[in-house]
């Protein structure tokens, strides 16, 4: 299985980066790669998770963070109970650090060829829309795709 689902890219820059990482056999979200990647900043970590801004945020967001498990799995249900409990602690820290009184939470699980995800390492998206933009244009997160 590929590390990246290049058919789900949103920008040419993202596609180019996905192809580069795939060719090098690098999973961007595995801990060593995430720490070393020039464009990914780790805001904070818990025992099982890293929180980082999305390098390619969705249109309409004023904040788009990713909560990424240290363990390489493509389904949250494959994480142990300790890691799952720690997810909620990480989410609580995000809410407090960023003073969020509202946000969206999205996770795609399983084969990224079908979920709309771009990388085969599960991660949660924390999305906050930008109220200065037209409220009739919502933030959209894709949850399905047709494999190419």
């Amino acid at each position: 299985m590929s590390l990246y689902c290049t058919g789900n890219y949103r920008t040419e820059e993202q596609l180019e980066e996905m192809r580069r990482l795939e060719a090098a056999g690098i999973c961007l979200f595995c801990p060593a790669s995430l720490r070393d990647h020039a464009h990914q900043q780790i805001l904070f970590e818990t025992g099982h998770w890293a929180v980082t801004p999305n390098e390619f945020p969705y249109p309409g967001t004023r904040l788009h963070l990713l909560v990424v498990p240290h363990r390489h799995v493509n389904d949250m249900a494959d994480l142990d109970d300790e890691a799952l409990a720690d997810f909620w602690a990480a989410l609580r820290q995000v809410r407090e650090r960023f003073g969020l009184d509202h946000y969206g939470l999205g996770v795609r699980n399983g084969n990224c060829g079908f979920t709309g995800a771009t990388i085969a390492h599960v991660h949660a998206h924390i999305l906050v829309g930008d109220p200065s933009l037209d409220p009739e244009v919502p933030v959209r997160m894709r949850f399905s795709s047709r494999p190419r």
Side-chain angles (χ1 to χ4, degrees), residues 4-148:
Y4 298 89
C5 289
T6 56
N8 294 334
Y9 75 96
R10 293 183 311 284
T11 69
E12 291 298 323
E13 180 186 16
Q14 182 186 34
L15 177 60
E16 183 179 319
E17 181 65 357
M18 290 165 60
R19 285 179 173 159
R20 184 186 72 76
L21 292 167
E22 181 80 56
I26 296 170
C27 174
L28 173 62
F29 289 162
C30 282
S33 301
L34 190 58
R35 287 185 190 102
D36 290 342
H37 193 266
H39 301 289
Q40 287 296 140
Q41 172 192 10
I42 296 176
L43 301 174
F44 69 89
E45 292 184 80
T46 66
H48 297 273
W49 299 85
V51 176
T52 182
N54 190 331
E55 184 178 356
F56 301 98
Y58 294 160
T61 57
R62 74 168 173 83
L63 181 68
H64 186 169
L65 301 175
L66 302 176
V67 185
V68 183
H70 296 320
R71 185 168 162 230
H72 184 98
V73 297
N74 69 359
D75 190 318
M76 283 194 58
D78 292 332
L79 294 168
D80 62 33
D81 291 342
E82 187 176 317
L84 290 172
D86 194 39
F87 170 78
W88 299 110
L91 182 60
R92 191 174 301 116
Q93 284 186 48
V94 167
R95 189 185 65 186
E96 291 168 3
R97 286 180 186 217
F98 289 90
L100 301 180
D101 64 358
H102 69 280
Y103 58 93
L105 180 64
V107 182
R108 300 177 187 107
N109 293 283
N111 183 333
C112 62
F114 292 101
T115 66
T118 56
I119 186 168
H121 184 132
V122 74
H123 52 283
H125 294 255
I126 298 173
L127 304 160
V128 179
D130 186 340
S132 70
L133 300 175
D134 182 352
E136 298 302 314
V137 181
V139 174
R140 298 205 181 269
M141 183 175 174
R142 188 172 171 190
F143 280 99
S144 64
S145 64
R146 198 173 281 140
R148 297 176 194 207

